[in-house]
Amino acid sequence: MVTTPFDTSFSFAREAGAVAADLGSDPVRGLAPDEAERRLARHGPNELRRQKPRSALEILRHQFVSVIVWLLLAAAGLSMLLGDHAEALAIGVVLLINGAIGFFTELRAARSMEALRHLAEVRTRVRRGGSERAIAARGLVPGDLVILEAGDIVTADIRVTAASNLQADESALTGESVPVLKDVDAVARDAALGDRTSMAFKGTAITQGAGEGLVVGTGMQTEIGRIADLAQSASGEAAPLERRLDLLGRRLVWLTFALAAVTIGAGILRGQDVVRMIETGIALAVAAVPEGLPVVATLSLARGMWRMSRRNALITRLSSVETLGATTVILTDKTGTLTENRMSAVRYLLDDTTVEVAKGTDGRSFTVDSRIIGPLADARLAWALRIGALCNNAGLGDGSHDDRTGDPMEAALLSVARDAGVARADLLDLHPERVEHAFDPDSKMMATVHERGGAHLFAVKGAPEAVLERCTQVLSQDGPRALDARQREDWAHRGALAARDGLRLLALAFRDDDDARADPYRDLVLVGLVCLLDPIRDGVPEAIAESRRAGVRVVMMTGDHAATAQTIARRAGLADDDPRVIEGTRLVGLDPVTVGDDLRDEILAADVFARVAPETKLTLVALFQRAGHVVAVTGDGVNDAPALRKADIGIAMGLRGTQVAQEAAHMVLRDDAFSTIIEAMRQGRVIFGNIRKFVVYLMSCNVSEVLVVGIAVGIGLPAPLLPLQILFLNLVTDVFPAFALGLGTGDAQVMMKPPRDPSEAIVERRHWLRIGLAGAAITVATLLAFTLALFWLELDAAASVTVAFLTLATAQLWNVFNVRDPAAGLVRNDVTANPYVWGAIALCLGLLGLALWVPSLAGILGLPWPGRAGLVTALGAGVLPLVMGQIWLAAHGRRRRLRGG
């Protein structure tokens, strides 16, 4: 690690002169150019280490890290060793198809992520050898003297050495939406990041004023670099679907080995031919493994991924599609996600009334006691709007958020005045500005002086306590009147109540004077207090309400103060009553493993975590995960990146999100809309329901194949199915109905149900019961047809195998209708309403016809013509499992309705 000559972590706690001395830099002239070159060679360029994008080889390798895939590879290898090249080739083709689908889908997502990152060269102004110059930001070195002005992006960690009303927007780093005033004074060594007022941090923006400072950290040695490194080193959790499929795969491995070993051993003990028993064991192994499962799961997830992409949700890994459906808690940041990351005037406190300001689709409305008023009809409100627009250095540009310049609170005052019909340009035409008294951190006020007739208008704004102290009058309906001590207390009380609601307050005042150079802050007339708030983004309360109906908690993590965070949480609808808030200072150094039960329960029940650091967010994610939750984390700032990576599903903003946050996330929202998360959750739930349906379908088909072969061999009958025939069923006739189930649109009420238990397996006990019953019904039908063909129709063994094959194939096709919800109707349900199911059945019947009537294919599969009687027997027996299944579903559904009543 490259370091500066002293511990730069505490430069904010040292005097500026001492920092300059330790850096070997002149605080006035800066570094000599040749010294800057030497330091650049020693420290390296001022760049963040980009997370290495996933290579095509890594994406390809990820497609084959599955127990089921490994099991299929083993089966293919064993088939090759025994000379069954057709089986080995067929399994290989399945694995290639599955790998190709997953590879190209994830590669497409990775390339889309790259397209989101537009990296432009940033330049910064420095003083080297006493001369100012603009250099590429990557060329900054420790000790450089940087010049800062409003509108600049800070390109390194800088110890401020000179400041004039210098303010910085640090929301991307701390989550605090209000600019921080900077000065040269050292602060305490234990000051939180947001309280280090003597520092300007890389990646933040200067909103107002000017200043200078010495670079004390570049590249990965900055605060943003430290957080980026924390994000890249945070270990991500395996996706729930990956864990469940691996668990199912491990169980299938043991089942396969056990079935093969028992069958081979029993056959040899009964004197059967060893080679024939080994072939039978392979047939059982092939029957036990649902070869189509990886393909169908991958296709279903890929389609969900494409579907979400069309809805502005870019998923970077297939398994993350389903993870959203399993989410039980969303840990969200505030700034830019729940709120718009801009200030807005929401209330004016006037002499004897309060004016509420609301922004709607038709502009702003001004109301008093729920009665809409004209903003210029009330003289006091009109004065408040004018003063806010005159005493102002911000700019609105074209009116969009991205085009605003200057302090966000000043921009908010300009915006509300413009919407009320008070444009600053028009005011300045009437009252040209002659003098400006810049904001003074000591007096906490600002004033501008304007021509007004033959005199001058002093427009003043500032901290309420500072302005109130300088006011001798207050503006009433009838004009200015004296302001006494009791009224001052009343104003202070009103301001305190608004501040407790998390509102930011500015006092507005004015005075007329003949002398433009007079003291601007004496004998002022108080107009009122304007209350400002970072507004909730459109659609957020509705999206949170929908997530709560779906049983998913939304918890806010923010670097903002507790009162502000609680107000935002209340407005966003995070809780029915007052949101429960925990200060981040209580969580510093907390170990998720050893935390006490009482504190853990209190944390898990909280609605808001305020003043939290990036490390604390990581702790919270781990704590919720240890409690059994599937955790989604949303964020857009650098400070959110470690938690995004640690979460089960990290969700970054695509429009406002930082590069570091996007690289750490599993999903990127192209529209930054919280409602998109809810739609993605719905898709995830539908996808898991579809996956469960086709797993139950595939497993019931495979169980029937195992039972048919095992029971027939066990009672001394010839093998009713050949390994290649089983493989044909698993890869052709089973896959298409299963994939059709995976394309279902799902239950319309899916978001009205609570999330499933995170520990819940894909196949639970009740599903194994359905699998067993369906498999047994298909087995009975197939063995019945096989024995009828052998002993009643007196067909030879090969033709009888054809009858068994056709019975099993048609029974498995009709079995797709047995996976419907028992509570659904017999004729109209989510399976029969799925057009893909009918298409799959038609396709599979056509493929069966080809396998039976194309001589070359029939020869490869070992399917001689069974005669008309054999065909009728097979088709008739194939319908029996469907009838039995529907009878069971009707009885089961009736029991459920009775229990519900």
Side-chain angles (χ1 to χ4, degrees):
M1 177 186 291
V2 178
T3 59
T4 51
F6 72 104
D7 186 355
T8 58
S9 299
F10 296 101
S11 56
F12 57 86
R14 298 165 58 87
E15 293 300 326
V19 173
D22 284 347
L23 281 169
S25 179
D26 188 319
V28 177
R29 296 177 55 82
L31 293 174
D34 56 344
E35 175 62 18
E37 292 296 327
R38 284 193 293 271
R39 294 192 183 192
L40 182 63
R42 183 165 72 247
H43 293 276
N46 175 34
E47 295 175 329
L48 294 182
R49 183 175 64 248
R50 288 197 63 194
Q51 181 182 345
K52 186 178 179 182
R54 296 174 69 201
S55 66
L57 186 62
E58 182 184 356
I59 294 173
L60 182 62
R61 183 191 65 81
H62 180 256
Q63 311 311 315
F64 296 96
V65 289
S66 163
V67 176
I68 293 178
V69 171
W70 296 341
L71 188 58
L72 289 174
L73 282 171
L78 187 58
S79 297
M80 185 66 74
L81 288 175
L82 294 174
D84 295 326
H85 301 298
E87 288 179 28
L89 179 62
I91 295 174
V93 168
V94 171
L95 292 175
L96 285 176
I97 292 173
N98 176 69
I101 294 168
F103 172 75
F104 286 112
T105 302
E106 291 195 11
L107 185 66
R108 176 182 174 187
R111 297 301 173 259
S112 297
M113 279 295 297
E114 287 298 315
L116 283 176
R117 300 168 189 141
H118 304 288
L119 303 178
E121 184 185 72
V122 178
R123 300 185 69 80
T124 191
R125 284 198 306 144
V126 299
R127 189 178 296 125
R128 287 181 175 172
S131 300
E132 287 188 16
R133 62 184 70 182
I135 66 170
R138 66 191 307 273
L140 282 176
V141 296
D144 257 329
L145 181 61
V146 176
I147 301 167
L148 301 171
E149 289 185 347
D152 288 348
I153 298 296
V154 182
T155 51
D157 278 6
I158 294 170
R159 174 58 167 89
V160 177
T161 58
S164 174
N165 193 27
L166 185 66
Q167 294 186 21
D169 177 0
E170 299 180 346
S171 59
L173 195 62
T174 66
E176 170 63 69
S177 57
V178 175
V180 179
L181 185 66
K182 301 296 181 178
D183 58 44
V184 300
D185 295 334
V187 298
R189 285 172 65 93
D190 60 352
L193 189 65
D195 297 326
R196 297 174 190 174
T197 53
S198 58
M199 292 288 298
F201 298 105
K202 180 179 174 69
T204 62
I206 302 300
T207 60
Q208 185 170 296
E212 296 180 359
L214 293 168
V215 173
V216 295
T218 60
M220 296 301 290
Q221 307 308 312
T222 59
E223 284 296 328
I224 195 174
R226 183 182 64 81
I227 297 174
D229 185 61
L230 187 64
Q232 292 172 15
S233 62
S235 58
E237 298 290 313
L241 181 63
E242 290 178 330
R243 294 197 295 265
R244 292 184 180 97
L245 286 176
D246 277 347
L247 177 62
L248 180 61
R250 285 194 294 271
R251 290 175 177 173
L252 288 175
V253 168
W254 291 112
L255 175 63
T256 301
F257 287 157
L259 285 171
V262 169
T263 303
I264 293 172
I268 293 175
L269 288 176
R270 291 179 55 190
Q272 298 286 340
D273 180 67
V274 175
V275 175
R276 179 172 177 268
M277 284 298 96
I278 291 176
E279 290 177 346
T280 302
I282 294 174
L284 284 172
V286 171
V289 179
E291 288 86 352
L293 180 57
V295 177
V296 176
T298 301
L299 283 171
S300 294
L301 291 172
R303 188 169 187 275
M305 192 170 179
W306 299 330
R307 212 183 259 169
M308 290 182 187
S309 179
R310 290 197 299 270
R311 289 170 169 80
N312 293 315
L314 176 64
I315 306 292
T316 61
R317 179 166 289 186
L318 277 179
S319 54
S320 298
V321 173
E322 182 273 340
T323 307
L324 269 167
T327 299
T328 58
V329 62
I330 301 174
L331 302 180
T332 179
D333 75 324
K334 174 186 73 71
T335 307
T337 304
L338 298 182
T339 67
E340 296 184 2
N341 193 18
R342 64 175 178 82
M343 300 303 290
S344 180
V346 296
R347 186 181 303 165
Y348 282 88
L349 305 180
L350 304 177
D351 175 42
D352 58 0
T353 191
T354 297
V355 180
E356 299 290 345
V357 184
K359 191 169 184 179
T361 55
D362 299 328
R364 291 184 210 256
S365 62
F366 298 80
T367 59
V368 175
D369 297 329
S370 301
R371 177 176 52 86
I372 295 179
I373 65 169
L376 302 182
D378 188 305
R380 298 163 301 177
L381 180 57
W383 266 107
L385 293 167
R386 292 188 195 108
I387 292 169
L390 287 172
C391 188
N392 204 303
N393 281 320
L396 295 181
D398 61 9
S400 67
H401 170 65
D402 293 335
D403 203 38
R404 291 184 173 191
T405 58
D407 187 290
M409 289 195 289
E410 290 192 340
L413 295 179
L414 285 183
S415 179
V416 68
R418 181 198 59 194
D419 290 353
V422 180
R424 186 168 192 266
D426 295 338
L427 286 175
L428 290 177
D429 287 340
L430 291 173
H431 309 295
E433 183 179 314
R434 293 298 176 234
V435 181
E436 177 184 325
H437 298 270
F439 180 81
D440 184 348
D442 293 328
S443 67
K444 299 180 181 179
M445 290 182 290
M446 171 188 176
T448 55
V449 184
H450 306 264
E451 287 187 7
R452 188 184 182 211
H456 294 89
L457 169 67
F458 286 68
V460 178
K461 76 173 190 299
E465 64 276 11
V467 175
L468 267 171
E469 185 180 346
R470 303 299 186 96
C471 289
T472 57
Q473 294 177 290
V474 60
L475 185 63
S476 68
Q477 278 280 40
D478 302 322
R481 59 178 174 80
L483 182 67
D484 59 29
R486 185 189 61 77
Q487 290 172 329
R488 291 178 192 277
E489 291 179 4
D490 182 57
W491 277 101
H493 178 66
R494 293 175 70 187
L497 290 177
R500 274 206 292 270
D501 284 340
L503 300 175
R504 310 277 181 178
L505 275 72
L506 287 174
L508 305 171
F510 74 95
R511 185 181 90 247
D512 289 317
D513 200 301
D514 293 334
D515 184 4
R517 298 292 176 179
D519 179 1
Y521 305 127
R522 64 175 175 80
D523 299 329
L524 296 175
V525 179
L526 178 66
V527 176
L529 305 181
V530 57
C531 307
L532 302 109
L533 188 70
D534 188 0
I536 301 294
R537 296 194 67 192
D538 289 342
V540 164
E542 294 80 7
I544 289 178
E546 187 172 355
S547 70
R548 293 180 67 188
R549 286 194 296 271
V552 180
R553 287 190 64 213
V554 180
V555 178
M556 180 171 33
M557 302 185 299
T558 178
D560 220 332
H561 293 280
T564 303
Q566 188 176 46
T567 299
I568 295 295
R570 187 184 303 114
R571 293 189 175 212
L574 287 184
D576 292 326
D577 48 12
D578 279 347
R580 291 160 291 189
V581 182
I582 292 181
E583 289 272 4
T585 52
R586 295 183 57 192
L587 308 177
V588 174
L590 187 71
D591 187 343
V593 178
T594 60
V595 61
D597 292 343
D598 291 342
L599 180 57
R600 183 189 65 243
D601 293 344
E602 184 183 354
I603 292 171
L604 295 176
D607 301 302
V608 177
F609 296 97
R611 303 298 281 173
V612 293
E615 296 87 347
T616 307
K617 293 185 178 183
L618 270 179
T619 301
L620 289 172
V621 173
L623 196 64
F624 276 93
Q625 287 173 335
R626 286 187 63 84
H629 288 282
V630 175
V631 180
V633 170
T634 75
D636 61 352
V638 176
N639 59 322
D640 302 311
L644 288 171
R645 179 171 295 279
K646 175 68 176 173
D648 295 296
I649 175 86
I651 306 166
M653 304 297 125
L655 296 178
R656 308 179 192 218
T658 60
Q659 173 193 326
V660 176
Q662 291 170 3
E663 287 183 341
H666 307 89
M667 182 172 91
V668 177
L669 303 182
R670 288 196 181 101
D671 59 359
D672 287 10
F674 199 86
S675 57
T676 302
I677 301 174
I678 307 304
E679 174 59 27
M681 284 174 54
R682 196 190 77 80
Q683 291 291 333
R685 290 190 178 190
V686 167
I687 286 168
F688 183 82
N690 291 341
I691 289 174
R692 175 169 276 169
K693 279 189 180 71
F694 69 65
V695 167
V696 169
Y697 169 75
L698 286 174
M699 291 301 296
S700 60
C701 293
N702 284 58
V703 163
S704 66
E705 293 163 4
V706 170
L707 292 176
V708 165
V709 174
I711 292 175
V713 172
I715 62 177
L717 292 174
L721 294 169
L722 303 177
L724 200 56
Q725 293 171 351
I726 296 174
L727 201 58
F728 180 85
L729 291 175
N730 287 354
L731 301 183
V732 180
T733 57
D734 286 357
V735 165
F736 292 110
F739 183 48
L741 291 172
L743 298 180
T745 56
D747 183 0
Q749 302 298 313
V750 69
M751 290 302 287
M752 301 298 290
K753 301 173 183 176
R756 62 184 179 276
D757 188 333
S759 62
E760 184 178 305
I762 293 178
V763 182
E764 292 194 295
R765 182 177 299 178
R766 67 181 187 276
H767 303 112
W768 282 115
L769 175 62
R770 293 185 70 171
I771 289 170
L773 291 174
I778 296 172
T779 300
V780 169
T782 303
L783 290 178
L784 175 62
F786 185 55
T787 54
L788 287 176
L790 281 174
F791 303 114
W792 183 52
L793 299 178
E794 297 182 346
L795 300 178
D796 60 25
S800 297
V801 166
T802 302
V803 172
F805 172 82
L806 290 174
T807 303
L808 184 62
T810 55
Q812 289 181 348
L813 277 182
W814 307 133
N815 184 46
V816 73
F817 296 109
N818 287 334
V819 298
R820 69 172 173 85
D821 191 317
L826 173 65
V827 177
R828 186 69 180 175
N829 54 66
D830 53 344
V831 178
T832 59
N834 186 345
Y836 297 105
V837 167
W838 296 103
I841 290 174
L843 176 61
C844 290
L845 289 174
L847 292 172
L848 285 174
L850 291 176
L852 190 62
W853 285 306
V854 174
S856 57
L857 186 55
I860 292 173
L861 292 174
L863 294 173
W865 178 249
R868 181 177 297 177
L871 187 62
V872 171
T873 300
L875 295 178
V879 177
L880 289 177
L882 173 62
V883 175
M884 296 167 63
Q886 293 301 315
I887 292 172
W888 181 84
L889 285 169
H892 186 60
R894 184 172 181 274
R895 285 197 302 272
R896 279 177 54 176
R897 286 192 295 272
L898 289 174
R899 285 200 302 269

